[in-house]
């Protein structure tokens, strides 16, 4: 672009949000896991002239009621205009200006202010998509998807009544295992960290069982049966330990299974009051569980006995903490919890509460993976993202020592499209969010416009459900999005 004459002012770029008008479209009538909280005050607009709201803990965060009139900032030194991405994306075009002022980094203020470059148009990945049709006899749909660790050719997908394993190749797709319509409900699924085994929990006749499958779909082990329904199943980040949670409305039981020993029965359970919604590992010895009004921190000793070391109770005793994620830092384990219907975020380990973090139901939270050169034992901050049906994904950072929580970016989907699931790339460079029939990818550090989008084909089999799944493979080269009775597998043509 030619340089404008010095005697003419440079025109200001038009203001829009993610390339869309700032007028906010109404939300679709979707129903998610929890009910809505009534009489919530309408939050202030993110990025306007009003001061950033500070809650009683002194945490600064944005409260959004409409798309902002300015864009998220780019942090100097974190990403260049080309996006530093090899996904066949068109590079951004630098606009030469005379007497260009040095932009001011505003991340420390926690507000998305300032545009420092002209973003490239989001790359459309739709042409690189393979659609897998999930054949289920019942009125069911995909609720879980997970790539085999270290193997981008094996994908597991499950719903309430089925679990399937797919082997993908450049020329074909083969279903290598399918347990549909065997009379059992699939209640949990998790790959062992090395990818040697897939643990699958099923429920039938008031009893739960866990089968171990190899990558070809053959049963290699059958664990002892358990009473009640297993609703959480997670392998430790390293090693052979797996936490198992069975829960009902009265009480929940947590136990640790050691697959290297394979005892004849499960070790002693740790009993928790009430229903447990979510369970997560913080490291190989600490587990967090979330329920109604509480988050529990459990520690596992050398004999694999689980003990509750802390019970954190929220200010509202009836708040349902639908999601919890854990991470290890230099100061010890940190938990991040989200209340779906309340739209609130909570750091129970440090007593930090952000009410109305979103103006509608939260559909998920995920912690950003550590970089390869980062040591969890020396980390002093936690970066995570939250998704909501208010059409946004928010990226947050929590400084452990100062106990300060800040919203770095508010990322907008297209008007009227809720964010129903989210996931970080394995290296944390990008964050992706799935909506009704498409997903979006953003640069985690830069925010602003999406670097890529994908629109998936729909038909009558994809209507009626709001469950969505999104999963990156271990190399960051493929994304799987489950929607309805379909799974869209997108080849990103490179490393993110």
């Amino acid at each position: 672009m030619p340089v404008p004459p010095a005697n003419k002012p440079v025109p200001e770029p038009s203001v829009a949000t993610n390339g869309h008008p700032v007028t906010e479209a109404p939300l679709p009538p979707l129903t998610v896991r929890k009910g809505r909280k009534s009489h919530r005050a309408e939050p202030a607009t993110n990025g306007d002239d009003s001061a950033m709201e500070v809650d009683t803990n002194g945490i600064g965060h944005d409260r959004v009621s409409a798309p902002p009139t300015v864009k998220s900032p780019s942090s100097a030194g974190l990403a260049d205009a080309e996006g530093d991405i090899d996904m066949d994306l068109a590079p951004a075009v630098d606009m030469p200006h005379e007497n260009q002022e040095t932009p001011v980094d505003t991340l420390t203020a926690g507000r998305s202010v300032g545009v420092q470059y002209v973003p490239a148009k989001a790359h459309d990945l739709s042409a690189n998509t393979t659609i897998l049709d999930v054949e289920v006899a019942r009125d069911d749909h995909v609720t879980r998807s997970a790539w085999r660790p270290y193997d981008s050719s094996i994908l597991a997908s499950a719903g309430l009544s089925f679990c399937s394993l797919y082997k993908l190749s450049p020329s074909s797709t083969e279903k290598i295992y399918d347990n549909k319509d065997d009379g059992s409900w699939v209640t949990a699924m998790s790959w062992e960290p090395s990818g040697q085994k897939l643990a699958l929990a099923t429920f039938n006749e008031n009893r739960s069982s866990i089968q171990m499958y190899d990558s070809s779909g053959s049963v290699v082990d059958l664990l002892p049966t358990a009473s009640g329904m297993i609703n959480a199943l997670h392998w430790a980040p390293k090693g052979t330990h797996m936490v198992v949670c069975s829960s009902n409305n009265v009480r929940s039981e947590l136990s640790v299974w050691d697959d290297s020993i394979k005892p004849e029965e499960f070790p002693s359970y740790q009993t928790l009051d009430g229903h447990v919604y979510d369970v997560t590992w913080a490291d190989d010895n600490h587990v967090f569980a979330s329920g109604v009004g509480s988050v529990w921190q459990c520690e596992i000793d050398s004999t694999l006995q689980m003990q509750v070391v802390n019970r954190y109770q929220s200010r509202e005793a009836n708040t349902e903490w639908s999601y919890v994620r854990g991470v290890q830092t230099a100061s010890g384990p940190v938990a991040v919890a989200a209340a779906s219907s309340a739209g609130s975020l909570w750091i129970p380990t440090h007593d930090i509460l952000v009410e109305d973090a979103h103006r509608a139901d939260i559909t998920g939270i995920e912690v950003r993976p550590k970089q390869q050169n980062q040591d969890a034992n020396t980390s002093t901050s936690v970066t995570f993202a939250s998704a909501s049906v208010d059409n946004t994904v928010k990226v947050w950072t929590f400084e452990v020592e100062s106990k300060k929580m800040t919203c770095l970016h508010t990322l907008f989907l297209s008007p009227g499209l809720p964010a129903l699931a989210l996931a970080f790339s394995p290296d944390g460079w990008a964050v992706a969010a799935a909506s009704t029939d498409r997903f979006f990818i953003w640069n985690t550090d830069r925010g602003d416009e999406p670097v890529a989008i994908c629109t998936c084909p729909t038909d009558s089999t994809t209507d009626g459900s709001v469950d969505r799944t999104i999963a990156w493979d271990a190399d960051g080269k493929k994304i799987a999005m489950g929607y309805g009775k379909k799974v869209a597998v997108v080849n990103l043509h490179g490393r993110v």
Side-chain angles (χ1 to χ4, degrees):
M1 181 177 293
V3 178
N7 60 350
K8 293 185 180 180
V10 179
E12 295 292 333
S14 59
V15 178
T17 301
N18 283 0
H20 303 287
V22 298
T23 309
E24 182 176 352
L27 295 175
L30 294 174
T31 303
V32 291
R33 185 184 302 180
K34 305 294 180 296
R36 296 286 301 113
K37 185 179 76 172
S38 61
H39 306 297
R40 180 183 300 161
E42 186 67 19
T45 301
N46 176 28
D48 61 7
D49 295 334
S50 61
M52 177 178 61
E53 181 158 341
V54 179
D55 66 10
T56 55
N57 290 312
I59 310 125
H61 62 95
D62 297 328
R63 303 179 66 189
V64 180
S65 61
T69 58
V70 290
K71 299 180 180 179
S72 301
S74 62
S75 299
L78 293 177
D80 57 18
E82 284 77 17
D84 192 23
I85 181 172
D86 183 17
M87 294 199 314
D88 295 340
L89 305 186
V93 179
D94 290 332
M95 300 291 290
H97 285 229
E98 290 188 357
N99 302 324
Q100 187 174 12
E101 295 182 359
T102 302
V104 179
D105 194 335
T106 61
L107 290 183
T108 55
R111 300 174 65 185
S112 296
V113 178
V115 177
Q116 300 183 17
Y117 70 101
V118 178
K121 181 180 179 181
H123 185 63
D124 190 354
L125 300 172
S126 304
N128 305 328
T129 304
T130 300
I131 302 299
L132 308 179
D133 290 316
V134 180
E135 299 176 359
V136 289
R138 306 180 191 179
D139 184 15
D140 201 356
H141 57 274
V142 178
T143 58
R144 301 175 183 89
S145 295
W147 292 94
R148 183 190 182 196
Y150 308 108
D151 186 354
S152 300
S153 66
I154 303 295
L155 175 68
S157 182
L160 180 62
S161 63
F162 71 94
C163 178
S164 302
L165 281 178
Y166 296 92
K167 185 173 182 59
L168 309 175
S169 68
S171 59
S172 64
T173 299
E174 176 188 2
K175 183 183 290 186
I176 57 179
Y177 167 76
D178 193 353
N179 78 327
K180 65 180 182 180
D181 295 329
D182 66 352
S184 300
W185 291 355
V186 175
T187 59
M189 178 181 74
S190 180
W191 282 101
E192 184 262 338
S194 69
Q196 298 302 312
K197 296 180 180 180
L198 174 69
L200 189 70
T202 58
F203 180 77
N204 194 2
E205 296 181 354
N206 296 322
R207 305 250 342 148
S208 289
S209 61
I210 300 176
Q211 299 86 25
M212 298 285 191
Y213 296 86
D214 62 15
S215 59
S216 66
S218 299
V219 177
V220 294
D221 204 356
L222 180 64
L223 275 61
T225 59
S227 60
M229 180 182 292
I230 295 174
N231 64 329
L233 194 68
H234 299 286
W235 292 89
K238 300 177 182 178
T240 59
H241 297 165
M242 181 175 63
V243 63
V244 179
C245 175
S246 60
S247 189
N248 54 40
N249 292 327
V250 178
R251 69 173 188 172
S252 301
E253 296 177 334
L254 271 71
S255 181
V256 178
W257 171 264
D258 189 345
D259 199 55
S260 64
I261 299 176
K262 299 180 181 178
E264 296 183 357
E265 59 183 16
F266 277 102
S268 300
Y269 283 93
Q270 172 64 58
T271 302
L272 305 177
D273 295 333
H275 183 81
V276 166
Y277 292 105
D278 200 6
V279 178
T280 185
W281 290 86
D283 57 26
D284 290 323
N285 296 312
H286 292 89
V287 170
F288 289 103
S290 63
V292 179
S294 298
V295 167
W296 294 267
Q297 179 181 350
C298 302
E299 189 174 69
I300 301 167
D301 61 23
S302 58
T303 63
L304 296 185
Q305 297 300 310
M306 181 179 293
Q307 301 292 333
V308 176
V309 294
N310 284 301
R311 180 180 181 178
Y312 305 99
Q313 294 180 289
S314 57
R315 300 174 189 176
E316 298 293 335
N318 60 347
T319 301
E320 297 177 351
W321 296 103
S322 315
Y323 309 98
V324 65
R325 296 292 181 267
V327 62
Q328 181 68 30
T329 68
S331 301
V334 174
V336 180
S340 177
S341 60
S344 300
L345 297 173
W346 183 30
I347 312 290
T349 49
H350 295 75
D351 194 26
I352 305 296
L353 177 65
V354 181
E355 295 181 312
D356 295 327
H358 286 273
R359 59 187 180 88
D361 290 21
I362 293 176
T363 55
I365 55 174
E366 294 295 339
V367 173
R368 183 183 189 181
K370 297 294 183 183
Q371 305 296 320
Q372 291 184 353
N373 59 352
Q374 287 182 313
D375 185 359
N377 294 325
T378 61
S379 176
T380 59
S381 65
V382 178
T383 301
F384 66 97
S386 57
S388 171
V389 298
D390 65 1
N391 307 347
T392 68
V393 170
K394 290 188 177 184
V395 180
W396 307 80
T397 184
F398 172 63
E399 298 294 337
V400 178
E401 295 181 356
S402 62
K403 298 177 63 174
K404 180 180 179 181
M405 184 167 160
T406 305
C407 180
L408 297 180
H409 305 299
T410 299
L411 310 174
F412 286 86
L413 287 72
S414 296
L417 290 181
L420 300 175
L422 81 160
F424 281 97
S425 61
D427 60 1
W429 189 95
V431 59
S435 188
T436 52
D437 63 347
R438 68 196 73 179
F439 67 81
F440 301 76
I441 301 175
W442 295 269
N443 180 302
T444 306
D445 293 310
R446 189 172 60 203
D448 203 79
E449 305 287 342
V451 296
I453 59 173
C454 178
T455 301
C456 306
T458 59
D459 54 33
S460 59
T461 64
T462 59
D463 297 334
S465 69
V466 297
D467 289 318
R468 294 292 182 269
T469 68
I470 190 164
W472 296 76
D473 70 345
D475 297 328
K477 294 182 179 181
K478 293 180 181 177
I479 290 182
M481 171 181 163
Y483 65 112
K485 291 181 174 61
K486 297 180 182 294
V487 178
V489 179
V490 182
N491 192 336
L492 301 178
H493 286 296
R495 181 179 61 83
V496 174

